[in-house]
Amino acid sequence: MKAKPTKSYLYEHVARIGKALSSPKRLELLELLAQGEKPVETLSAQADIDMRLASAHLKALREARLVETRRDGKYIHYRLSGPDVSQLWVTLRETAEEHLVELRVALEQMASEPDSLCSESRESLLQKAKQGDVIVIDVRPPAEYEAGHLPFARSMPLGELEKRLADLPADCAIVAYCRGPFCLMSDEAVKLLRANGFTAQKISDGVSEWAACGLPIETSKN
Amino acid sequence: MKAKPTKSYLYEHVARIGKALSSPKRLELLELLAQGEKPVETLSAQADIDMRLASAHLKALREARLVETRRDGKYIHYRLSGPDVSQLWVTLRETAEEHLVELRVALEQMASEPDSLCSESRESLLQKAKQGDVIVIDVRPPAEYEAGHLPFARSMPLGELEKRLADLPADCAIVAYCRGPFCLMSDEAVKLLRANGFTAQKISDGVSEWAACGLPIETSKN
DNA sequence: CGATCAATCTAACGTCTGTTAGATTGATCG
DNA sequence: CGATCAATCTAACAGACGTTAGATTGATCG
């Protein structure tokens, strides 16, 4: 006769996921991975931590089965182990924003371009983008754009934006987005665009938030 | 000039929520609270832990703003600070079930009545319950039923079920539910009902899971 | 008032966790 | 083959956490 697992055994397993989500660095890595598969080196650079520390945190995430790995020569690429992980991150972040006032305050203080948030609904924005009434630009690194981006969005990495201003129509409203509400790249983009006479706004959504409410995501590579 | 909070400050706040979800006992308390407001004494009894330990864990949950308190005489009642907390618990549990094989295996092993899971969709079950084609019974304690239950469900606490078998029609299919997939009460109910000649099945949903997919919840007290 | 009881507070303990830094593995490439 | 580089492993430390048990608060009630 097999010993039946106890009830607390079930909660212990769920707590494994909770533990994985209990470190700020790991959450930052998760959000970066939500932008697409990346090697450890890139992750440690983008999260601004030592590669050995990044490796340790990624090991913890892997043991909680939230991420998976793929070897490619010298590089080991990490990716989320499913779209539900990205959904979990969004739910967790939204719950934090809902209940922690300090977080909402901090978010406001960090915005260098207040009042730049596009007030439109996701659906109507999608419609306008389709009709060409607005230009939606993705200011993340090209690799992240290729891994998945909003429909009708053009890749316009923040680093190259200044050089490529001429590619944008001066008479059309521009809406920028980046990795999500915690990412400041779209904010920087709006600042730059406005300084050059463009009509620009941002949305706080990243691909995770967009996908979390059931809207489609496009990929460029096959 | 005010010092702007850094980016990692944002993740630290989200990690506060993650930390709160990183302990098995706290998760158990959260699930109990998802059934409705309860005093510490009840929580510690139902989670089978010392009241002082329960109090410590509840303090951690309160500091993460996941629960709130209300004083009523000698008793301090705890409740979830919003429906999104219950939603977060469901999302966390589902992610764990999706990615942790050990958890799925343990769940199967713990069921004393396998193959008792009702295969119907939530919507069609709701429809049948409305028409009286099935009897839906809520086998949780009465207080939890009163705090919120599935539409058309009858309160039939597990402890009183045996005495009240006569109240149930012998020719009608019965569907039992309890606190959720981790709760064994509905399983016990099915066992008891079948032993007495009834046609009985269970659903793994509790009110949290039911509400999480947008279906309505009824309350009895005003 | 003093007794009772729910709940929290405090101190103590062993354990776990995040971080750092050095050593090691494993694949690539000249 | 040795050099290089990505990534992991290991050891070590300080700090945080879960648990236990005794002391304390705060409300009720005879």
Side-chain angles (χ1 to χ4, degrees):
Chain A
M1 165 151 181
K2 215 179 267 179
K4 286 199 182 182
T6 77
K7 202 179 173 192
S8 64
Y9 182 75
L10 302 175
Y11 294 101
E12 278 169 29
H13 279 296
V14 184
R16 285 172 62 189
I17 309 287
K19 281 194 181 70
L21 304 174
S22 69
S23 151
K25 299 274 163 63
R26 281 199 289 274
L27 293 175
E28 190 165 2
L29 290 170
L30 266 189
E31 195 189 35
L32 286 169
L33 286 170
Q35 315 303 319
E37 181 186 80
K38 297 178 182 191
V40 184
E41 201 178 28
T42 307
L43 287 165
S44 72
Q46 292 180 343
D48 195 30
I49 53 178
D50 186 282
M51 199 177 72
R52 291 171 288 185
L53 181 56
S55 180
H57 280 304
L58 289 166
K59 186 187 178 189
L61 287 172
R62 201 182 50 205
E63 281 169 353
R65 306 282 157 80
L66 293 179
V67 303
E68 295 170 343
T69 55
R70 174 179 70 83
R71 177 144 219 156
D72 179 29
K74 286 201 290 188
Y75 297 85
I76 295 183
H77 297 263
Y78 278 79
R79 62 169 177 276
L80 299 189
S81 40
D84 56 335
V85 177
S86 151
Q87 165 76 60
L88 175 61
W89 156 245
V90 172
T91 306
L92 186 70
R93 205 210 63 245
E94 285 177 349
T95 308
E97 277 187 64
E98 174 71 22
H99 296 283
L100 304 176
V101 194
E102 309 92 307
L103 181 52
R104 286 203 298 277
V105 172
L107 269 170
E108 277 176 32
Q109 289 180 349
M110 285 178 72
S112 61
E113 285 288 303
D115 308 325
S116 66
L117 209 66
C118 179
S119 56
E120 218 129 4
S121 78
R122 292 181 176 102
E123 286 75 11
S124 85
L125 180 66
L126 184 57
Q127 190 60 26
K128 284 195 175 181
K130 187 176 183 177
Q131 296 170 346
D133 293 341
V134 299
I135 303 285
V136 176
I137 62 172
D138 182 325
V139 299
R140 299 174 301 159
E144 300 181 6
Y145 174 85
E146 283 160 16
H149 55 80
L150 267 56
F152 313 108
R154 291 170 54 175
S155 179
M156 196 71 81
L158 185 57
E160 300 173 20
L161 187 55
E162 197 154 17
K163 287 179 268 170
R164 294 175 54 187
L165 283 175
D167 298 358
L168 292 168
D171 58 343
C172 185
I174 295 170
V175 173
Y177 77 91
C178 50
R179 289 174 182 149
F182 287 6
C183 180
L184 299 174
M185 292 195 293
S186 60
D187 214 63
E188 287 297 316
V190 168
K191 198 175 173 181
L192 182 62
L193 288 167
R194 287 183 173 180
N196 286 86
F198 289 90
T199 305
Q201 286 185 312
K202 62 170 285 185
I203 55 175
S204 61
D205 280 358
V207 288
S208 302
E209 289 76 19
W210 189 263
C213 56
L215 291 164
I217 294 295
E218 285 177 3
T219 54
S220 17
K221 289 250 171 109
N222 43 354
Chain B
M1 163 153 186
K2 214 178 270 182
K4 285 197 184 184
T6 75
K7 201 180 175 193
S8 65
Y9 183 74
L10 302 175
Y11 294 101
E12 277 170 30
H13 279 296
V14 184
R16 285 172 62 188
I17 310 287
K19 281 194 181 72
L21 304 174
S22 69
S23 150
K25 300 274 163 60
R26 280 198 290 273
L27 293 175
E28 189 165 2
L29 291 170
L30 266 189
E31 194 189 36
L32 286 169
L33 286 170
Q35 315 302 320
E37 181 186 82
K38 297 178 181 189
V40 183
E41 202 179 29
T42 307
L43 287 165
S44 72
Q46 292 180 342
D48 195 32
I49 53 177
D50 188 282
M51 199 177 72
R52 292 172 287 185
L53 181 55
S55 180
H57 279 305
L58 288 166
K59 186 187 178 190
L61 287 172
R62 201 182 50 206
E63 281 170 354
R65 307 282 157 79
L66 293 179
V67 304
E68 295 169 344
T69 56
R70 174 180 70 83
R71 177 146 221 156
D72 178 30
K74 285 202 292 189
Y75 297 85
I76 295 182
H77 296 264
Y78 278 80
R79 62 170 177 276
L80 299 188
S81 39
D84 56 335
V85 177
S86 151
Q87 164 76 59
L88 175 61
W89 156 245
V90 173
T91 306
L92 186 69
R93 205 208 64 247
E94 285 177 347
T95 308
E97 277 187 62
E98 173 74 22
H99 296 282
L100 303 177
V101 194
E102 309 92 307
L103 180 53
R104 285 202 299 276
V105 171
L107 269 170
E108 276 176 34
Q109 288 179 351
M110 286 178 70
S112 61
E113 285 288 303
D115 307 325
S116 66
L117 209 65
C118 178
S119 56
E120 220 129 3
S121 79
R122 292 181 177 101
E123 286 76 10
S124 85
L125 180 67
L126 184 58
Q127 190 60 27
K128 285 195 176 181
K130 187 176 183 178
Q131 294 170 347
D133 295 341
V134 298
I135 304 284
V136 176
I137 63 171
D138 182 325
V139 299
R140 299 174 301 160
E144 300 181 6
Y145 174 86
E146 282 161 16
H149 54 82
L150 267 54
F152 312 107
R154 291 171 53 177
S155 179
M156 197 72 80
L158 184 56
E160 300 174 20
L161 187 53
E162 197 153 17
K163 288 179 268 171
R164 293 176 55 188
L165 284 175
D167 297 358
L168 291 168
D171 58 343
C172 185
I174 295 170
V175 173
Y177 77 91
C178 50
R179 288 173 183 148
F182 287 6
C183 179
L184 299 173
M185 293 195 291
S186 61
D187 214 61
E188 287 297 316
V190 169
K191 199 175 172 181
L192 181 63
L193 288 167
R194 287 183 173 178
N196 286 86
F198 288 92
T199 304
Q201 285 185 312
K202 61 169 285 184
I203 53 174
S204 60
D205 280 0
V207 288
S208 303
E209 289 75 18
W210 189 263
C213 58
L215 291 164
I217 294 295
E218 286 177 2
T219 54
S220 19
K221 291 251 170 106
N222 43 355

